[in-house]
Amino acid sequence: MASSLRALRPALSTLSRASRTTALRQFSPAVTLNAGRQIRTFTDDVHNTPVFHLTEEENMLKEVVSKFSNDVILPKVRDMDEAETLDKSVLEGLFEQGLMGIEIEEEYGGSGMSFTAAIVAIEELARIDPSVSVLCDVHNTLVAQAFRKWGSKALKEKYLPRLATESCGSFCLSEPASGSDAFALQTKAVKKGDGYVLNGSKMWITNAMESEIFIIFANINPDAGYKGITAFVAEKNFPGFSIAKKEKKLGIRASSTCVLNFDDLYIPKENILGEEGQGYKYAIGILNEGRIGIGAQMTGLALGAWENAVKYCWNDRKQFGKLIGENQGLRFQIAQARLEIEAARALVYNAARTKAAGANFVMEAAMAKLYASQVAGKVSGQAVEWMGGMGFVREGLAEKFWRDSKIGAIYEGTSNIQLETISKILQKQYTN
Amino acid sequence: MSTLRILVPVKRVIDYAVKPRVNKAQTAVEIAGVKHSMNPFDELSVEESVRLREKHTNKTVEDILAISIGPPKAADTLRTAMAMGCDRSIHVEVPEKDEMLEPLQVAKVLKEVVEKEGRNLVILGKQSIDDDSSQTGQMLAGLLGWGQACGASEVVLDGEYLKVTKEVDGGTEVVRGKLPMVVTTDLRLNEPRYASLPNIMKAKKKKLEKKKLEDFEFRAVNRLKNLKVSEPPPRQGGGKVEDVDGLISKLKELGAL
Ligand SMILES: Cc1cc2nc3c(=O)[nH]c(=O)nc-3n(C[C@H](O)[C@H](O)[C@H](O)COP(=O)(O)OP(=O)(O)OC[C@H]3O[C@@H](n4cnc5c(N)ncnc54)[C@H](O)[C@@H]3O)c2cc1C
């Protein structure tokens, strides 16, 4: 019941755009057009729920993730950032809680929950630590998702149970010479025997230090351009695979980001993910979804930064004989910031529900990710100011949230790339 | 070895981390719009029941039944209990009201459930953090005529017997009792698990039976009436003294010496 309502809402509440007509037809059969005479019937039994409405299971998940984040992760956040490493127990905890297989089906040892459930979890984790959040995000929305969508039965049976219960995964697309222009990638795969030999390198690969399973995009036919791009599955211990360098970063420092080298890395045929030459389609598809996850990471971050600061302003710090949060100048900034966070969250949740409804969500996802990262940057920056000196020192978490926010404008498509996506869709719609 | 059919009563209370506020009418603590969760002592009871099952061979714990007597939202608390490992639950739904059921009423309902459901072990929190009555477990044991071990910090099943360790002033007390029994839990008994995502999904398929107070022979009436609820007076700022002499003269001034 709840899920069918969920499916209806986004499709009905959005504009009828060319790309949406199928979804509309599918979800609101009551809008019928009759040739000659126009007969319109309206349904009144569709219950629109607020975009923030969570199902019972999503609510329970939110609560346990919040508890887990506060009890287990929070005490380690500062130290992990200073040490630029993830505490092992945090990763173990994520697996134990079932947070590494959120959408993976129960038959493969996963939690069998929805995409929106993953979004809720990513947001809750980011309220406490955006580094842990991105680990969970990449693993779930990119890696596990790619196996679920395109993996053969054998690949699913081999890797999904591991991904759900013990092995972290990475998604390897970017290279030194191809970032935004991802499909200019240079890593080559040459046929050898029953498999392929990969040579090349990848850059900025999230989770690489923790991961055992890597989805690698390489070109099997450079003459065909991007149509030669193919997705391969490698494991850490495959000969020819190595981590060349771990980056030192401005933010999300507990999340590892590495350069990978492939030196005659042999991948057996059965480890080709999906079909040869379809890699670029897979990458586009998965990143479109993934952006909603990054949006959730950013709204969670903004909320975490905001809450951290307002607790201080409204409870702890007094100047001129009163709490600093009593000053109208601060109150209004606090209110405005929260408004912007809620607006960004509305975009994120709407994008997630739109995807769940099976409608086209590319523009919604791009808008959500873009705006959420802008709000996260702005609010976490303001939050530092609201806390004055206490916001600037590395004792608390205010300055960390601000440093962490910057990545939102870069990975899974820079802000310009999101604007490019949005404007292209709009232009198509408005071109005669 | 006895098979256990456990009853775990759980209560939905204002979350332990929330600062309670008195309502405008000064009749009760404000509950509207306030975060609620399972009474922390009841989490310990659920955890202990599940651990008893995990510790012993398959059939030792036959069934763990959770029960909550509370407003519609108490169903959430039962779902949490089932996600933590209880097998099924009963929700005795009562309207959301300022006044809570008194321990005796709760104990009488529990007694009926114990009898109807053939329970031989009831594990309850030693108190709930809202009204802090600390009476329900004892009253239930009294009504049933069973043995009771209150404030458990360790529970060991040994054939027909339970060995329960309790922390008392200045040390520990170990008691042994024959089943059936009532045990109440104290803070150091265990560390309750978080419900994992797969278990949340499994809980969706577990049975939650709805009942009303009218379904029980006993009719509920509270014996006490809340006259007034008020917050403690705000703490007055203290003064500083320079040295020991200053302290002594201050104490003398206040007539404390
Ligand atoms: C911490 C971190 C983690 C990452 N994790 C992963 C990962 O797990 N897997 C992975 O594959 N990649 C990952 N990346 C890579 C990330 O996706 C890229 O950094 C990103 O796509 C941008 O590419 P680039 O860094 O080469 O920037 P560039 O593409 O060089 O862009 C630089 C600037 O030019 C602008 N620009 C580029 N092209 C255009 C254009 N056509 N129009 C307008 N402006 C343009 C960009 O908006 C940007 O402002 C990660 C990066 C970081 C920093």
Side-chain angles (χ1 to χ4, degrees):
Chain A
M1 181 66 175
S3 66
S4 66
L5 290 181
R6 197 184 338 130
L8 283 168
R9 182 195 354 88
L12 288 176
S13 61
T14 42
L15 303 165
S16 61
R17 214 184 43 227
S19 58
R20 281 263 174 68
T21 43
T22 24
L24 273 176
R25 222 177 293 134
Q26 192 177 337
F27 288 103
S28 52
V31 182
T32 44
L33 295 174
N34 206 336
R37 217 160 30 117
Q38 258 198 6
I39 301 169
R40 253 170 183 279
T41 29
F42 292 90
T43 44
D44 53 8
D45 59 344
V46 174
H47 305 285
N48 289 304
T49 48
V51 72
F52 294 136
H53 174 83
L54 298 182
T55 64
E56 217 156 23
E57 82 199 42
E58 287 162 359
N59 252 326
M60 281 176 79
L61 162 129
K62 188 179 163 95
E63 196 144 302
V64 288
V65 178
S66 162
K67 239 186 189 173
F68 174 76
S69 308
N70 277 288
D71 298 354
V72 178
I73 304 175
L74 183 59
K76 304 197 170 78
V77 174
R78 180 42 76 186
D79 289 346
M80 293 198 298
D81 184 68
E82 296 288 340
E84 301 197 36
T85 39
L86 185 86
D87 193 301
K88 268 210 170 90
S89 66
V90 170
L91 184 58
E92 286 164 12
L94 291 173
F95 277 115
E96 259 168 45
Q97 288 308 299
L99 281 164
M100 297 297 270
I102 302 177
E103 284 182 86
I104 296 177
E105 293 74 7
E106 280 171 54
E107 56 181 302
Y108 295 123
S111 306
M113 285 189 166
S114 66
F115 177 76
T116 312
I119 294 305
V120 173
I122 291 160
E123 186 178 46
E124 278 307 308
L125 288 171
R127 267 166 93 165
I128 300 299
D129 192 345
S131 290
V132 177
S133 172
V134 75
L135 178 142
C136 184
D137 172 80
V138 167
H139 179 92
N140 279 287
T141 70
L142 303 185
V143 182
Q145 193 70 333
F147 276 97
R148 289 182 62 232
K149 284 184 116 148
W150 299 295
S152 62
K153 188 143 195 297
L155 271 188
K156 283 189 195 172
E157 277 170 359
K158 182 163 182 200
Y159 288 108
L160 284 177
R162 283 179 62 191
L163 287 167
T165 57
E166 54 180 31
S167 304
C168 189
S170 287
F171 185 86
C172 317
L173 179 66
S174 306
E175 298 184 0
S178 68
S180 298
D181 189 8
F183 301 141
L185 61 84
Q186 310 272 304
T187 298
K188 286 189 186 61
V190 177
K191 198 148 200 161
K192 187 185 171 196
D194 225 11
Y196 281 92
V197 171
L198 269 59
N199 278 288
S201 61
K202 294 285 171 184
M203 199 147 169
W204 305 298
I205 302 307
T206 297
N207 294 353
M209 291 304 284
E210 292 77 26
S211 288
E212 280 164 36
I213 298 165
F214 298 79
I215 295 178
I216 300 169
F217 292 85
N219 203 318
I220 57 169
N221 181 10
D223 292 341
Y226 65 86
K227 287 185 175 163
I229 296 173
T230 302
F232 296 90
V233 179
E235 295 190 39
K236 194 181 197 158
N237 55 11
F238 280 14
F241 176 95
S242 64
I243 295 176
K245 178 188 172 199
K246 179 174 175 274
E247 305 287 357
K248 292 183 176 161
K249 305 199 295 295
L250 168 72
I252 54 163
R253 304 200 314 182
S255 155
S256 63
T257 310
C258 302
V259 178
L260 307 180
N261 272 349
F262 314 129
D263 184 12
D264 283 341
L265 166 65
Y266 179 75
I267 313 252
K269 193 174 135 217
E270 62 269 21
N271 272 24
I272 293 175
L273 186 72
E275 288 172 37
E276 293 182 4
Q278 296 292 306
Y280 74 100
K281 275 192 198 157
Y282 301 162
I284 294 175
I286 210 90
L287 288 171
N288 279 336
E289 296 183 28
R291 280 170 190 159
I292 309 175
I294 300 303
Q297 183 208 18
M298 288 295 128
T299 53
L301 184 157
L303 211 49
W306 184 93
E307 285 175 320
N308 180 51
V310 304
K311 280 181 192 158
Y312 179 76
C313 296
W314 279 332
N315 293 289
D316 301 331
R317 182 65 172 173
K318 282 187 176 158
Q319 289 290 284
F320 303 102
K322 61 180 178 188
L323 288 166
I324 53 173
E326 294 287 352
N327 295 294
Q328 196 185 65
L330 251 172
R331 297 178 79 85
F332 285 12
Q333 283 187 43
I334 289 172
Q336 177 72 30
R338 184 60 188 249
L339 153 72
E340 287 167 24
I341 294 171
E342 295 305 327
R345 296 187 70 234
L347 287 178
V348 168
Y349 278 84
N350 181 55
R353 301 297 193 198
T354 305
K355 176 183 140 39
N360 192 322
F361 62 90
V362 175
M363 186 170 79
E364 285 75 5
M367 285 183 166
K369 192 255 184 189
L370 175 63
Y371 189 60
S373 61
Q374 290 171 344
V375 168
K378 182 177 166 191
V379 172
S380 62
Q382 283 182 314
V384 171
E385 290 177 38
W386 299 339
M387 295 180 73
M390 282 311 285
F392 197 73
V393 295
R394 294 219 304 252
E395 220 171 278
L397 293 178
E399 62 84 33
K400 177 181 174 296
F401 278 120
W402 184 52
R403 284 188 286 108
D404 288 353
S405 73
K406 200 71 214 170
I407 191 59
I410 298 171
Y411 58 19
E412 299 205 20
T414 64
S415 293
N416 275 353
I417 296 299
Q418 309 303 330
L419 288 166
E420 185 71 15
T421 302
I422 297 164
S423 59
K424 269 188 181 155
I425 293 173
L426 291 172
Q427 190 180 5
K428 209 170 170 183
Q429 207 181 317
Y430 284 91
T431 300
N432 295 326
Chain B
M1 196 54 94
S2 220
T3 43
L4 295 179
R5 291 177 303 280
I6 307 177
L7 180 69
V8 188
V10 295
K11 186 175 184 185
R12 180 177 181 268
V13 299
I14 292 182
D15 189 84
Y16 75 96
V18 171
K19 187 176 175 238
R21 290 180 203 287
V22 173
N23 67 7
K24 278 225 175 65
Q26 291 207 315
T27 52
V29 169
E30 189 59 73
I31 50 171
V34 178
K35 182 172 189 256
H36 282 66
S37 41
M38 190 191 297
N39 176 36
F41 289 97
D42 302 345
E43 287 185 344
L44 297 160
S45 318
V46 173
E47 178 67 32
E48 196 60 21
S49 311
V50 178
R51 286 192 191 189
L52 276 172
R53 163 173 285 157
E54 289 166 351
K55 232 182 286 172
H56 298 278
T57 50
N58 267 349
K59 287 282 165 235
T60 306
V61 175
E62 190 184 307
D63 175 47
I64 306 172
L65 170 63
I67 180 168
S68 191
I69 307 165
K73 282 249 167 210
D76 294 351
T77 310
L78 287 169
R79 272 191 204 91
T80 303
M82 292 191 288
M84 288 172 74
C86 293
D87 300 308
R88 60 194 177 99
S89 55
I90 296 177
H91 180 195
V92 183
E93 199 175 313
V94 296
E96 177 100 59
K97 270 194 309 205
D98 286 346
E99 259 177 34
M100 286 178 241
L101 295 186
E102 285 169 11
L104 184 60
Q105 301 189 40
V106 176
K108 286 191 174 177
V109 171
L110 294 181
K111 174 177 181 273
E112 256 183 77
V113 173
V114 164
E115 286 164 353
K116 265 191 213 141
E117 297 280 346
R119 303 288 105 181
N120 58 4
L121 176 61
V122 185
I123 307 183
L124 313 80
K126 75 164 185 182
Q127 71 197 81
S128 73
I129 61 167
D130 47 8
D131 62 2
D132 284 329
S133 297
S134 310
Q135 294 168 16
T136 308
Q138 292 90 326
M139 287 178 170
L140 176 63
L143 292 172
L144 288 164
W146 290 6
Q148 54 177 300
C150 299
S153 63
E154 196 189 354
V155 176
V156 179
L157 176 68
D158 176 15
E160 300 277 289
Y161 294 87
L162 276 188
K163 197 176 86 182
V164 176
T165 306
K166 312 163 25 156
E167 288 181 0
V168 294
D169 285 347
T172 54
E173 183 180 84
V174 184
V175 297
R176 198 168 109 103
K178 194 165 187 234
L179 291 166
M181 256 180 85
V182 172
V183 173
T184 71
T185 58
D186 207 344
L187 283 180
R188 267 179 292 276
L189 178 59
N190 58 45
E191 261 184 56
R193 68 196 64 194
Y194 308 100
S196 72
L197 274 50
N199 287 339
I200 289 175
M201 296 306 276
K202 281 185 196 123
K204 277 174 71 174
K205 292 175 202 134
K206 294 181 179 175
K207 201 171 135 201
L208 197 159
E209 196 183 338
K210 293 260 178 203
K211 285 192 182 287
K212 291 196 270 326
L213 274 183
E214 294 77 56
D215 297 333
F216 294 84
E217 264 169 52
F218 171 73
R219 293 281 177 277
V221 233
N222 269 4
R223 296 169 180 213
L224 300 176
K225 187 173 163 51
N226 265 354
L227 297 181
K228 191 180 170 192
V229 178
S230 54
E231 283 182 28
R235 192 182 288 176
Q236 301 291 324
K240 270 193 181 156
V241 291
E242 286 297 314
D243 48 22
V244 177
D245 289 341
L247 176 65
I248 291 171
S249 60
K250 194 81 192 170
L251 288 172
K252 279 188 174 149
E253 196 184 302
L254 293 168
L257 278 183

